[in-house]
Amino acid sequence: MRRREFLQISAGSIAVTALRGIPQVPERPALRELAGAKNLLVGSAFSFAQMARPEMAALLAQQCSIMVCENELKWGPTQPERDRYEFEHADAMVVFAEAHGQKVRGHNLCWHQSNPAWLETTITPGNAAALLRQHILVVAGRYRGKIHSWDVVNEAIHLEDQNAGGLRNSVWLKNLGEGYIELAFRAAAEADPGAILTYNDFGMEHDAPDQERKRNAVLGLLRGLRARGAPVQALGIQSHLTAHLDPPRFHELHGFLKELGKMGLRVFITEMDVDDRDLPADVAKRDRMVAGLYRDYLRTVLAHDHVRAVLTWGLADRGTWLDAYHPRGDGQKKRPLPFDAELHAKPAFAAMCEAIAECPARSEERV
Ligand code: XIL
């Protein structure tokens, strides 16, 4: 099949947008240009539905040098039945990214959520290793050579479960024991040796005793994997922050980032947004405080040379996952992202631009 036919068949309206170029968007600085000058990648999660809106697709193309599929590469969408894989949406999104010179993050190959119903009823200690390995070989293998970095394992630590190493009581731990993490990384390396293999997690960003415990557990996990020779090359810090009238602080993050640097790991900020559920309704005030957190947080992490990418979890407020999880008490929509629902830039966008413009250029070529 010729390339153009493939694009039209598999990618539908998104490929059409990609082929025709992007619609006009207002003149504004582009994050991707500011970040490019610093040898840093910047971008966002994209969803297939958002990309079908031409103005949204144009904004994503204008601003992002890296993208990640919000849901389309998770187990549920990619392997809806044991013997059936489904890649139509993810393929179209990768085509879009390539057409706009964007790198692609893969998210994710092993998680306790978004798994298809069949997995939970089929999996046993006897077949779990083969199921996990096969899924990774098929999914990461399909995009071999096209993925900047894979979130190989997502959110494996949950201290509240009180397991050794802080591991979460996931379907994988229950059926495979702690070795599942190493197994997943080894399979990912086999499937796509060029991708930067990443462990991704949340709840380790601000100064607080529970977050410090999580940081230590994550370091322990990464050190253990390294000691066994498992191919883990980066940590993804999700960075779902919550704003408060008394804002969180990020001093303790410096020591953590230094430790990761000493281990030779890269760091990606993979899912940044700022939940404003505890802030007053006034939009100007909310936007100012959310922007303040973007500025403080990005200044902190971007002071470290091995932080190589910053992605927000969506670029514009409309459709943010945060409205579904913990909605605001007053019924107002949340404003966690750099652009508003009408795609106007917000103070958080200006804060991102400032933090990126101020940060030192990253040292190596490879990002
Ligand atoms: C969320 C998506 O945004 C939602 O659309 C979906 O319903 C659930 O997953 N941490 C992660 C992401 O690693 O995959 C989650 O994405 C948000 C939290």
Side-chain angles (χ1 to χ4, degrees), residues 29-61:
L31 290 168
R32 66 185 290 177
E33 280 157 28
L34 291 173
K38 303 298 171 85
N39 205 18
L40 173 76
L41 293 164
V42 69
S44 170
F46 294 12
S47 77
F48 185 77
Q50 283 168 358
M51 293 175 64
R53 287 172 59 205
E55 327 77 67
M56 187 67 209
L59 185 67
L60 295 167

Side-chain angles (χ1 to χ4, degrees), residues 3 18 23 46-47 52 89 136 151 159 166 168 198 222 235 240 250 258-259 279 298-299 302 341 345 355 358 364:
R3 183 171 154 77
F46 294 12
S47 77
H89 287 183
I136 293 175
D151 288 336
L159 296 169
R168 182 186 293 275
T198 306
L222 294 169
L235 175 68
H240 294 291
F250 308 109
K258 279 189 194 144
E259 283 306 310
L279 295 184
L298 290 178
R299 276 185 180 154
L302 290 177
E358 280 170 15
E364 300 160 34

Side-chain angles (χ1 to χ4, degrees), residues 70-71 74 107-108 111 113-114 154-155 200 202 238 240 271 313 321 325:
E70 182 175 358
N71 289 305
K74 293 174 181 171
H107 175 78
N108 58 62
W111 195 22
Q113 276 184 33
S114 298
N154 197 32
E155 303 180 350
N200 193 51
F202 67 95
Q238 290 187 6
H240 294 291
E271 308 186 11
W313 204 242
W321 74 297
Y325 293 76

Side-chain angles (χ1 to χ4, degrees), residues 54-72:
E55 327 77 67
M56 187 67 209
L59 185 67
L60 295 167
Q62 181 191 48
Q63 296 295 328
C64 301
S65 53
I66 188 164
M67 61 81 77
V68 59
C69 297
E70 182 175 358
N71 289 305
E72 291 79 357

Side-chain angles (χ1 to χ4, degrees), residues 146-181:
K146 294 177 181 251
I147 300 290
H148 166 268
S149 49
W150 263 113
D151 288 336
V152 178
V153 176
N154 197 32
E155 303 180 350
I157 290 179
H158 189 59
L159 296 169
E160 291 76 356
D161 288 344
Q162 306 201 324
N163 291 313
L167 293 182
R168 182 186 293 275
N169 278 333
S170 68
V171 66
W172 301 113
L173 187 74
K174 284 181 203 149
N175 285 284
L176 279 173
E178 62 179 277
Y180 84 86
I181 300 176

Side-chain angles (χ1 to χ4, degrees), residues 44-343:
S44 170
F46 294 12
S47 77
F48 185 77
Q50 283 168 358
M51 293 175 64
R53 287 172 59 205
E55 327 77 67
M56 187 67 209
L59 185 67
L60 295 167
Q62 181 191 48
Q63 296 295 328
C64 301
S65 53
I66 188 164
M67 61 81 77
V68 59
C69 297
E70 182 175 358
N71 289 305
E72 291 79 357
L73 279 171
K74 293 174 181 171
W75 265 75
T78 53
Q79 199 177 354
E81 291 164 42
R82 185 169 181 172
D83 298 318
R84 187 168 68 83
Y85 288 84
E86 177 62 64
F87 294 111
E88 199 186 333
H89 287 183
D91 281 358
M93 295 169 82
V94 172
V95 166
F96 177 92
E98 284 178 341
H100 294 100
Q102 297 169 323
K103 296 199 185 287
V104 179
R105 302 203 71 248
H107 175 78
N108 58 62
L109 296 170
C110 180
W111 195 22
H112 64 285
Q113 276 184 33
S114 298
N115 287 322
W118 68 262
L119 181 71
E120 313 281 343
T121 52
T122 310
I123 195 166
T124 64
N127 66 16
L131 286 171
L132 181 58
R133 200 178 124 74
Q134 200 215 348
H135 177 88
I136 293 175
L137 292 180
V138 171
V139 177
R142 181 176 182 90
Y143 299 102
R144 183 186 177 102
K146 294 177 181 251
I147 300 290
H148 166 268
S149 49
W150 263 113
D151 288 336
V152 178
V153 176
N154 197 32
E155 303 180 350
I157 290 179
H158 189 59
L159 296 169
E160 291 76 356
D161 288 344
Q162 306 201 324
N163 291 313
L167 293 182
R168 182 186 293 275
N169 278 333
S170 68
V171 66
W172 301 113
L173 187 74
K174 284 181 203 149
N175 285 284
L176 279 173
E178 62 179 277
Y180 84 86
I181 300 176
E182 187 175 338
L183 187 157
F185 275 94
R186 290 194 187 281
E190 199 179 323
D192 188 356
I196 302 172
L197 303 185
T198 306
Y199 174 71
N200 193 51
D201 211 332
F202 67 95
M204 50 183 154
E205 294 84 5
H206 61 82
D207 296 356
D210 59 327
Q211 300 238 331
E212 184 65 7
R213 280 196 292 277
K214 181 110 179 209
R215 285 187 280 271
N216 287 332
V218 168
L219 281 176
L221 173 69
L222 294 169
R223 289 195 179 114
L225 287 169
R226 276 290 171 89
R228 292 191 296 277
V232 55
Q233 291 126 6
L235 175 68
I237 303 182
Q238 290 187 6
S239 313
H240 294 291
L241 307 180
T242 301
H244 298 286
L245 291 174
D246 180 17
R249 290 168 212 283
F250 308 109
H251 299 301
E252 293 169 9
L253 197 50
H254 284 299
F256 180 59
L257 289 168
K258 279 189 194 144
E259 283 306 310
L260 296 163
K262 281 190 214 155
M263 294 171 68
L265 291 162
R266 285 162 207 270
V267 173
F268 307 129
I269 304 304
T270 50
E271 308 186 11
M272 187 170 182
D273 52 19
V274 176
D275 193 329
D276 63 8
R277 68 173 176 261
D278 294 332
L279 295 184
D282 181 77
V283 164
K285 205 178 280 176
R286 257 202 280 166
D287 283 359
R288 217 170 31 244
M289 295 193 73
V290 165
L293 227 54
Y294 270 89
R295 191 175 291 105
D296 289 354
Y297 185 71
L298 290 178
R299 276 185 180 154
T300 304
V301 295
L302 290 177
H304 295 265
D305 185 67
H306 52 298
V307 175
R308 293 304 167 114
V310 172
L311 291 92
T312 52
W313 204 242
L315 208 50
D317 293 335
R318 194 201 298 191
T320 168
W321 74 297
L322 291 171
D323 277 330
Y325 293 76
H326 318 291
R328 280 179 64 93
D330 60 10
Q332 294 222 22
K333 295 275 189 210
K334 290 183 182 174
R335 303 177 60 83
L337 292 165
F339 290 86
D340 71 12
E342 277 71 49
L343 311 188

